[in-house]
Amino acid sequence: MRIEDYALIGDMQSAALVGRDGSIDWLCLPRFDSPSCFAALLGSERNGHWWLGPTGRPMADRRRYRDETLILESEYDTPTGTVRVIDFMPPRDRNPDVVRIVEGVSGTVEMSTVIRIRFDYGRIVPWVRRTNGHLQAVGGPDSIWLHSPVPLKGGDYAHRATFHVKEGERVAFVFTWHPSHEPMPRLISAEDHLVQTEELWAEWVEQCTYKGPWREAVVRSLITLKALTYAPTGGIVAAPTTSLPEDLGGVRNWDYRFCWLRDATMTLDALIGAGYLDEAAAWRTWLLRAIAGRPQDLQIMYGVAGERRLPEMELGWLAGYEDSRPVRIGNGAVEQLQLDVYGEVMNCLYLARTSGLAPDDRAWSIGRELLDYVEDHWDEPDEGLWEVRGPRRHFTHSKVMCWVAVDRAIRQVENFGRTGPVERWKALRAQIHAEICDKGYDPVRNTFTQSYGSAELDASLLLIPIVGFLPVDDPRVRGTVSAIENELLSDGFVLRYPVAADNDVDGLPGGEGAFLACSFWLVEVMAMQGRKDEACELFDRLLTLRNDVGLLAEEYDPRYGRLVGNFPQAFSHVPLVHAARALS
């Protein structure tokens, strides 16, 4: 199916993608970054999936999230009646569970299910047996128990069943993972946990302070961002998937199941702005653990518990989504130098304080260490915001964010009584600002450029007024925004930067879609410029790209009219929230 044909369910430790056809095609347990037990998304059904729906495999006629929750309801109309499938992952006690409840709405409907459990990203066919009337699958360290009143018959390395559901009847399936060396896990009550899950989300959404005209889109984005939070540690993953392509059939396929400092800080910014300080406190604690040590050892990303080793490798037995190879796990960009993350981290720590988060002396101590590193290394080339795999450059955005790091440290001293060499920092801030305006700006074209000495544009330059580097009415900012609108728009959506055979900036072949965050940044800048009608028009166009349950991937490819990239993507939902706030 298309990427936008999937919906997300999760328990704030892992997540599953449920297709419009009723098939769970992606699920990693027990964590976001664990090997999958369903990997059909990146291969075929032989790599693991769990289909449940009316016999004949129709697509759902309707689906939605139940109110403001992460409980998915899919309805199917058949010649003999209507049936509803309720999918969710309840908040975890000890073991992760996936619950699927079939509810008869009208008439009598024949239902079928096929489940193929495959551990280690579709590579390991488990040993399956029946124990106490339940199905157990074991493969190495992993074990799955499937509990249901419906008897399942094995054959061809899968288990199948056919059953009937009448109006008013409910039939539950509970899928539970646990370590294979442990005894059988406790069976949960599907109906009780449905109630508990609904109550949890209702209580969480009740805290939202956003009351603007785009509340539905904002709340759905906030729920998605919360679902990407790893509850035990406070880490936030960029997406729950790996290797969904930025270019269909191409090689731009990356693993996003990790905690990028940049993405996490932007996510926290969105949550803080909506009134969610608990998440900010938990993330700050995660951050202090993850980056503890020498500032020169700071990484751009970590595992959900703060792991530093994320080696990139290819899974040759998976065909890739629509033949987009290779399928990768791990991410080699962990070794890159991306100077902008220092600015993102310092900005987030400052915003948390301005929003009422209690002061933390250790956070300030680490912040000062990070600033010492910026002071010594800000003038070096790096791989930049977009994690290019071409040569390092002096990216203008990276330098701007170094300026932000210094600026936010100065504000901590001036506004919150912190101590530091503020006069030296002010001189450094002025030095960085002057160099950017000299080397990162093209006076002939009246625009900032992607990197020093480059003629190329970059959508990240839209952040210059957003982070406060220059006012939005500065002629250089106006010229930059105009140049981006003239040169980086594709079918009305903003590209990250020019991708062409003669442009080796990212060191990769092939093209890509429009990076959705960039278009949301343009909405925010338009709003700042007072161009509200244009901003609202673009914002509404962007909202139409969400799928039927309000989710966005990383990019939209105008060539195919499809979402592409990992899904759902925090880096798309975060600027949606910011843009809505700017317009409101």
Side-chain angles (χ1 to χ4, degrees):
M1 289 180 293
R2 299 174 304 170
I3 290 171
E4 54 264 44
D5 284 328
Y6 289 96
L8 178 77
I9 58 173
D11 64 358
M12 279 80 76
Q13 294 190 46
S14 186
L17 293 189
V18 186
R20 191 189 296 270
D21 65 345
S23 181
I24 298 179
D25 288 346
W26 182 252
L27 174 63
C28 298
L29 293 174
R31 307 194 328 179
F32 290 107
D33 56 351
S34 297
S36 66
C37 53
F38 298 138
L41 180 71
L42 299 178
S44 71
E45 292 181 348
R46 293 284 176 178
N47 298 119
H49 76 120
W50 181 7
W51 172 72
L52 175 63
T55 302
R57 295 200 172 200
M59 301 287 271
D61 293 280
R62 296 169 298 281
R63 62 176 184 169
R64 66 183 182 95
Y65 285 114
R66 178 180 292 186
D67 300 322
E68 294 174 330
T69 73
L70 206 62
I71 300 169
L72 180 68
E73 297 183 335
S74 305
E75 291 187 352
Y76 301 83
D77 297 328
T78 77
T80 61
T82 296
V83 69
R84 178 182 300 122
V85 177
I86 304 167
D87 292 314
F88 67 100
M89 294 178 68
R92 195 176 303 186
D93 179 16
R94 177 175 174 81
N95 300 300
D97 300 285
V98 177
V99 179
R100 313 194 77 178
I101 299 174
V102 181
E103 177 183 15
V105 177
S106 65
T108 299
V109 179
E110 182 180 85
M111 299 290 292
S112 296
T113 188
V114 179
I115 182 167
R116 289 183 174 89
I117 301 168
R118 299 289 187 269
F119 296 124
D120 194 24
Y121 301 104
R123 190 172 65 93
I124 296 177
V125 179
W127 172 50
V128 182
R129 64 175 179 173
R130 298 183 190 279
T131 303
N132 299 325
H134 304 292
L135 206 65
Q136 182 192 20
V138 176
D142 301 294
S143 179
I144 296 292
W145 289 83
L146 183 61
H147 309 277
S148 175
V150 176
L152 291 150
K153 183 178 180 181
D156 191 27
Y157 300 104
H159 282 77
R160 298 173 172 82
T162 300
F163 58 101
H164 291 81
V165 177
K166 298 178 182 178
E167 180 178 344
E169 288 184 341
R170 290 163 75 98
V171 178
F173 296 80
V174 178
F175 177 99
T176 305
W177 179 95
H178 76 121
S180 59
H181 65 275
E182 294 185 357
M184 176 179 174
R186 179 179 62 88
L187 173 62
I188 68 168
S189 165
E191 297 292 349
D192 288 349
H193 278 72
L194 175 61
V195 172
Q196 293 173 19
T197 303
E198 187 169 10
E199 290 175 348
L200 177 143
W201 283 109
E203 291 172 3
W204 189 80
V205 170
E206 198 172 277
Q207 303 172 52
C208 179
T209 58
Y210 177 81
K211 306 297 181 185
W214 293 280
R215 179 178 167 82
E216 178 275 327
V218 168
V219 168
R220 180 49 54 193
S221 290
L222 292 171
I223 289 173
T224 303
L225 296 175
K226 176 65 173 174
L228 298 179
T229 301
Y230 185 67
T233 66
I236 302 172
V237 299
T241 58
T242 178
S243 299
L244 288 179
E246 298 170 13
D247 183 23
L248 293 174
V251 300
R252 297 171 182 262
N253 317 316
W254 316 109
D255 193 347
Y256 276 13
R257 299 170 299 153
F258 307 115
C259 302
W260 270 256
L261 295 187
R262 176 190 308 108
D263 296 48
T265 55
M266 291 182 174
T267 299
L268 261 296
D269 189 4
L271 290 169
I272 288 170
Y276 292 101
L277 286 186
D278 287 347
E279 284 73 15
W283 180 82
R284 186 173 68 180
T285 302
W286 172 88
L287 173 72
L288 298 182
R289 290 194 305 268
I291 69 174
R294 302 183 305 166
Q296 59 264 41
D297 295 331
L298 180 78
Q299 297 183 178
I300 64 165
M301 73 179 85
Y302 298 85
V304 294
E307 296 88 351
R308 291 174 177 257
R309 295 179 62 86
L310 309 173
E312 183 175 305
M313 62 187 70
E314 299 178 2
L315 306 184
W317 62 87
L318 289 175
Y321 180 85
E322 294 197 11
D323 295 320
S324 303
R325 296 177 176 143
V327 171
R328 297 181 174 94
I329 59 170
N331 200 308
V334 70
E335 303 292 340
Q336 290 188 353
L337 174 65
Q338 297 177 19
L339 291 169
D340 66 293
V341 299
Y342 293 89
E344 300 290 358
V345 170
M346 294 299 292
N347 184 57
C348 188
L349 293 175
Y350 174 72
L351 288 174
R353 288 290 288 115
T354 60
S355 300
L357 198 64
D360 186 297
D361 291 340
R362 183 162 167 256
W364 176 242
S365 177
I366 289 179
R368 285 196 57 174
E369 291 286 334
L370 296 180
L371 204 64
D372 288 342
Y373 182 82
V374 171
E375 202 166 1
D376 293 335
H377 297 276
W378 71 270
D379 56 352
E380 296 178 4
D382 71 341
E383 277 88 3
L385 167 71
W386 305 125
E387 300 179 355
V388 300
R389 301 208 173 192
R392 286 184 175 181
R393 288 171 165 78
H394 290 281
F395 286 104
T396 302
H397 172 263
S398 295
K399 308 302 184 188
V400 169
M401 295 310 296
C402 287
W403 177 91
V404 168
V406 181
D407 177 75
R408 298 323 188 248
I410 294 169
R411 294 192 195 189
Q412 288 266 25
V413 172
E414 294 178 341
N415 298 338
F416 298 114
R418 290 298 187 178
T419 58
V422 70
E423 294 305 319
R424 191 176 83 217
W425 289 346
K426 286 183 177 179
L428 176 61
R429 181 176 64 180
Q431 179 186 359
I432 297 173
H433 197 283
E435 180 179 291
I436 294 170
C437 292
D438 177 37
K439 298 182 178 180
Y441 174 71
D442 181 349
V444 176
R445 298 168 61 204
N446 187 30
T447 181
F448 285 94
T449 58
Q450 184 180 57
S451 60
Y452 290 177
S454 167
E456 304 291 354
L457 295 175
D458 193 303
S460 64
L461 301 170
L462 292 168
L463 294 170
I464 286 175
I466 292 175
V467 301
F469 181 81
L470 284 174
V472 73
D473 58 354
D474 186 285
R476 292 164 293 184
V477 171
R478 292 201 304 266
T480 301
V481 174
S482 177
I484 288 173
E485 290 184 76
N486 289 331
E487 299 182 34
L488 287 186
L489 286 182
S490 174
D491 285 357
F493 301 108
V494 183
L495 301 175
R496 290 190 291 180
Y497 48 79
V499 177
D502 59 350
N503 180 20
D504 65 345
V505 65
D506 61 16
L508 294 167
E512 65 176 11
F515 202 82
L516 293 174
C518 303
S519 296
F520 284 116
W521 293 340
L522 181 57
V523 170
E524 191 170 354
V525 171
M526 284 177 169
M528 295 172 67
Q529 290 179 324
R531 301 160 58 190
K532 188 168 183 179
D533 289 345
E534 292 176 80
C536 286
E537 181 182 355
L538 177 55
F539 189 61
D540 289 337
R541 282 192 68 205
L542 288 165
L543 292 185
T544 65
L545 302 183
R546 299 182 304 154
N547 73 355
D548 57 314
V549 290
L551 303 180
L552 287 169
E554 184 179 26
E555 301 180 8
Y556 173 76
D557 196 325
R559 295 173 298 177
Y560 310 113
R562 294 179 55 179
L563 293 177
V564 292
N566 283 302
F567 174 86
Q569 172 64 246
F571 209 45
S572 296
H573 285 279
V574 166
L576 183 157
V577 175
H578 288 316
R581 282 166 47 193
L583 290 173
S584 299

